[in-house]
């Protein structure tokens, strides 16, 4: 293990008790400093993300910066209330006691972030970890080097490295970090790597927050407003060139409305990114794929799916030199097609027609519990059945991805799509240990249940105990 990583970790572990004692005012000051640093570098952040993903700065502003700054604002306003903890009721058996749930920091936290939202998926967990009073080591993705370098500068200028530090590097650095005995690890990425992270955490009995992915379905019922559904699914799917963990991965559309949906989706695509393939490729509003390997992967998935009988409704163009993969819509896709095997994580939208919800439920369940699910319907019967008979990290009805923008809602997965959640007070609790504190006053009824377990007082105590059941 590199000695500098070990030294950084030891420095933070030694400083963790100091951070644990910080007041709400001190933590709010740190968060305010982070906010000032972000606001001062707003244009620089947009430029760095554009250099890595050719994502339009306006999209970074909407999808990353606004959410981060709003999250800081919520934490600053509400942190004193979160830190006060809560009173707990006292059962009759514990008469003479009072109890509270207090929140203490976990200690030293590792945040391993992905490349698709290379700024917000580093900073949002950091906000929660600081609010909870932890020391933090951040590992941004090596696939987005411009953003990682900017984060390193921003954090170094804002925090003492004994409190928060950025470590850059590839898989070897991530592996070395996972070998250290962190108190908590927050990882965002694929399910496969999530298993590796969890196994590493288990060696030190570290707690984990795993924000993974999966095939997030959209279901368009026969009762849906097709034009609205198509536009919102197209927006959610092709934002950041489909490289979003909560993007609609594929769409089930009722067979009676399938052609109408496909036409509406193509019309929405033309409004958002241009009416021709040439206009879309030249559009300044459409991002690029992160690296050559992902371009090849997406091309292979489309080629194999089309060879198996799917049709390209629009798109399909790829320019490997510029890492451009056209926004692509596929129809006549079978549930066992190559594109349906794993999360797509790119600008390809498979559309599957269905006759009954039983078919939809079978496909969704076969793909594991997704990070998100989107239902488009005007009839409550379809909505209620899909909610009742599936499980997902979150569900949005008649839109896509909106839940991520709310600090009042926990963001996280379930099963193979992750565990734990953050945003707002959910993040504060995720990066804290909920510590119950019970104080005994007099008299104490519990003494009646001490041994010896016989005699009149024992028999009376047992009768009382059963009455309290």
């Amino acid at each position: 293990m590199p000695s500098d990583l070990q030294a950084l970790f030891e420095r933070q572990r030694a400083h963790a008790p100091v951070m644990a004692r910080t007041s709400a005012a001190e933590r709010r000051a740190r968060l305010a400093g982070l906010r000032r640093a972000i606001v001062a570098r707003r244009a620089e952040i947009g430029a760095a993300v554009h250099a890595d993903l050719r994502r339009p700065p306006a999209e970074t502003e909407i999808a990353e910066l606004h959410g981060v700054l709003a999250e800081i604002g919520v934490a600053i306003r509400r942190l004193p209330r979160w830190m006060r903890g809560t009173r707990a009721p006292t059962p009759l058996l514990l008469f003479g006691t009072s109890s509270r749930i207090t929140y203490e920091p976990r200690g030293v936290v590792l945040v391993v972030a992905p490349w698709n939202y290379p700024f917000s998926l580093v900073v949002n967990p950091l906000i929660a970890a600081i609010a909870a009073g932890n020391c933090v080591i951040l590992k941004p993705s090596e696939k987005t080097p411009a953003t990682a370098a900017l984060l390193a500068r921003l954090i170094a200028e804002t925090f003492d490295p004994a409190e928060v530090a950025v470590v850059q590097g590839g898989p070897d650095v991530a592996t070395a970090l996972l070998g250290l005995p962190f108190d908590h690890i927050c990882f965002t990425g694929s399910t496969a790597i999530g298993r590796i992270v969890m196994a590493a955490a288990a060696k030190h009995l570290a707690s984990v927050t795993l924000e993974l992915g999966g095939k997030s379905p959209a279901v368009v019922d026969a009762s849906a407003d097709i034009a609205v559904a198509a536009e919102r699914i197209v927006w959610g799917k092709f934002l950041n060139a489909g490289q979003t963990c909560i993007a609609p991965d594929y769409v089930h559309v009722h067979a009676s409305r399938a052609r109408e949906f496909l036409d509406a989706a193509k019309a929405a695509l033309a409004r958002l990114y241009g009416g021709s393939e040439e206009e879309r490729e030249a559009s300044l509003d459409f991002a690029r794929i992160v690296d050559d390997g992902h371009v090849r992967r997406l091309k292979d998935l489309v080629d194999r799916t089309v060879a198996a009988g799917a049709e390209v409704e629009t798109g399909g163009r790829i320019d490997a030199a510029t890492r451009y993969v056209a926004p692509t819509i596929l129809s006549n896709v079978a549930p066992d097609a190559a594109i349906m095997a794993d999360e797509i994580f790119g600008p390809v939208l498979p559309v599957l027609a269905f006759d009954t919800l039983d078919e939809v439920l079978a496909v969704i369940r076969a793909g594991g519990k997704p990070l998100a699910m989107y239902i488009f319907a005007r009839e409550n019967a379809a909505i209620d059945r899909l909610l009742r008979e599936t499980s997902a990290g979150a569900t949005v009805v008649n839109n896509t991805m909106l839940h991520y923008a709310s600090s009042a809602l926990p963001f996280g997965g379930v099963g193979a799509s992750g565990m734990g959640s953050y945003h707002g007070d959910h993040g504060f609790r995720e990066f804290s240990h909920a510590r119950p504190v019970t104080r005994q006053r007099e008299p104490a009824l519990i003494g009646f249940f001490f041994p010896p377990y016989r005699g009149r007082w024992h028999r009376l105590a047992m009768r009382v105990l059963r009455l309290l059941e």
Side-chain angles (χ1 to χ4, degrees), residues 96-122:
T97 68
S98 62
S99 298
R100 290 188 65 81
I101 299 171
T102 63
Y103 293 97
E104 61 186 28
R106 294 190 182 274
V108 184
V109 171
L110 172 64
V111 175
V112 181
W115 50 263
N116 59 325
Y117 289 88
F119 186 79
S120 64
L121 292 180
V122 172

Side-chain angles (χ1 to χ4, degrees), residues 54 273-274 276-288 317-320 322 324-327:
R54 223 204 79 173
Y273 297 110
S276 68
E277 294 295 341
E278 292 75 19
E279 288 176 348
R280 290 170 204 160
E281 187 168 0
S283 173
L284 300 178
D285 298 323
F286 189 74
R288 294 298 184 263
R317 290 180 57 166
I318 292 176
D319 183 347
T322 60
Y324 171 77
V325 174

Side-chain angles (χ1 to χ4, degrees), residues 364-451:
I364 292 174
R365 290 168 184 158
K369 297 177 180 180
L371 186 56
M373 179 177 178
Y374 306 110
I375 304 170
F376 290 84
R378 286 185 285 201
E379 293 182 357
N380 287 331
I383 298 169
D384 292 344
R385 186 180 177 199
L386 287 165
L387 287 172
R388 186 174 61 248
E389 298 187 28
T390 61
S391 177
T395 298
V396 180
V397 177
N398 290 325
N399 216 318
T400 62
M401 306 202 301
L402 298 187
H403 61 289
Y404 185 82
S406 174
S407 293
L409 297 175
F411 175 73
V414 57
S417 61
M419 62 181 65
S421 59
Y422 60 93
H423 283 189
D425 62 330
H426 308 284
F428 173 81
R429 290 196 295 268
E430 182 73 10
F431 288 88
S432 301
H433 166 61
R435 180 179 185 174
V437 178
T438 299
R439 297 177 184 272
Q440 178 70 66
R441 301 188 307 274
E442 299 303 332
L445 295 183
I446 196 67
F448 288 105
F449 300 93
F450 293 174

Side-chain angles (χ1 to χ4, degrees), residues 82-102:
W82 298 344
M83 289 179 66
R84 280 198 296 268
T86 56
R87 289 186 61 181
T90 300
L92 186 58
L93 180 64
L94 300 185
F95 177 81
T97 68
S98 62
S99 298
R100 290 188 65 81
I101 299 171
T102 63

